[in-house]
Amino acid sequence: MKNYIESYHMFFPDKKFRFLLYLVYPITVWTILYVENIFFDGNFILALTAASVTIAVECLADFFVFAGYARKESGKNEYLKTSVKYTQLLKSAFLSDVIRRMSSVLLIICVPAAVLKIPLKLTIYLLFSVYFFITAALFILRFFDFSAAYNFITLIIVILYMFFSIFILDKNSFVVTSIILFISSLLLIAIHINILFRVVKEGYYD
């Protein structure tokens, strides 16, 4: 497991990024919720805020890690391609990234959900919907390696998520939607990883 984590960290811009991703990020989301809770009454609004901020941070943070990896011409981390272990490093890093993101979403959503006593079905919906929208966003974002695209697409994804969640709330179809989003997330991850490794393999042997 240590090797997987070290492989993942090799793609980070610097050590400060770990501090921001693992500590500052969740604390900031919880702080926003705490402040918002003082001025607003309504668990759904608070939960939607946590979900939206989580999606935004996960998408924007990925720019510093795997931006452009779905595009052969990107030329990211050319120095790593000189290593015979490059493909294995990527496999370990991508797997760690998936696990880290699952853990972050679980932690950031479940802690305020427990404190605010958000109903279980809504909490489950938040977990699966947030992860699906992040997964869908990264599926698109990793074809770009410039910040303007990441910022614009992230904004669109967050707005779509808000409207989507309001629609689901109105229909009160949290359970069915959660199941569909969970299955869709797994399919997207499988397709995305397949694309990434095909591109990486082609670029590696060029």
Side-chain angles (χ1 to χ4, degrees), residues 32-124:
I32 292 173
L33 284 176
Y34 176 77
V35 174
E36 189 178 32
N37 190 41
I38 298 175
F39 298 99
F40 296 97
D41 182 23
N43 288 345
F44 181 76
I45 295 176
L46 298 176
L48 190 60
T49 298
S52 300
V53 174
T54 300
I55 292 172
V57 173
E58 288 288 347
C59 290
L60 295 176
D62 189 75
F63 173 75
F64 300 98
V65 186
F66 293 126
Y69 269 85
R71 187 164 60 87
K72 183 179 176 181
E73 299 80 9
S74 176
K76 288 289 292 287
N77 285 319
E78 289 292 335
Y79 71 96
L80 284 176
K81 292 181 181 180
T82 60
S83 171
V84 294
K85 296 182 179 180
Y86 177 62
T87 304
Q88 183 57 47
L89 284 172
L90 275 174
K91 288 180 180 179
S92 301
F94 284 140
L95 179 60
S96 297
D97 180 61
V98 170
I99 295 174
R100 195 280 307 163
R101 185 167 294 105
M102 287 180 176
S103 301
S104 293
V105 171
L106 185 67
L107 180 67
I108 292 172
I109 297 299
C110 285
V111 169
V115 173
L116 298 171
K117 297 180 180 180
I118 295 175
L120 181 60
K121 64 179 182 179
L122 176 55
T123 301
I124 292 175

Side-chain angles (χ1 to χ4, degrees), residues 116-156:
L116 298 171
K117 297 180 180 180
I118 295 175
L120 181 60
K121 64 179 182 179
L122 176 55
T123 301
I124 292 175
Y125 163 76
L126 288 170
L127 289 172
F128 291 144
S129 63
V130 167
Y131 199 82
F132 170 78
F133 271 79
I134 293 172
T135 302
L138 296 182
F139 189 92
I140 301 170
L141 288 170
R142 286 175 178 169
F143 282 94
F144 302 92
D145 55 7
F146 50 96
S147 60
Y150 262 75
N151 292 332
F152 179 73
I153 294 172
T154 297
L155 177 61
I156 297 300

Side-chain angles (χ1 to χ4, degrees), residues 136-200:
L138 296 182
F139 189 92
I140 301 170
L141 288 170
R142 286 175 178 169
F143 282 94
F144 302 92
D145 55 7
F146 50 96
S147 60
Y150 262 75
N151 292 332
F152 179 73
I153 294 172
T154 297
L155 177 61
I156 297 300
I157 291 293
V158 170
I159 292 173
L160 287 175
Y161 178 76
M162 289 181 176
F163 280 107
F164 178 79
S165 294
I166 292 171
F167 173 78
I168 296 302
L169 174 66
D170 182 61
K171 298 297 181 180
N172 194 26
S173 57
F174 293 116
V175 177
V176 175
T177 304
S178 296
I179 294 172
I180 294 173
L181 291 177
F182 174 69
I183 295 173
S184 299
S185 295
L186 295 179
L187 290 173
L188 267 181
I189 290 173
I191 296 171
H192 186 45
I193 289 178
N194 181 266
I195 292 173
L196 286 173
F197 282 113
R198 187 177 71 246
V199 170
V200 166

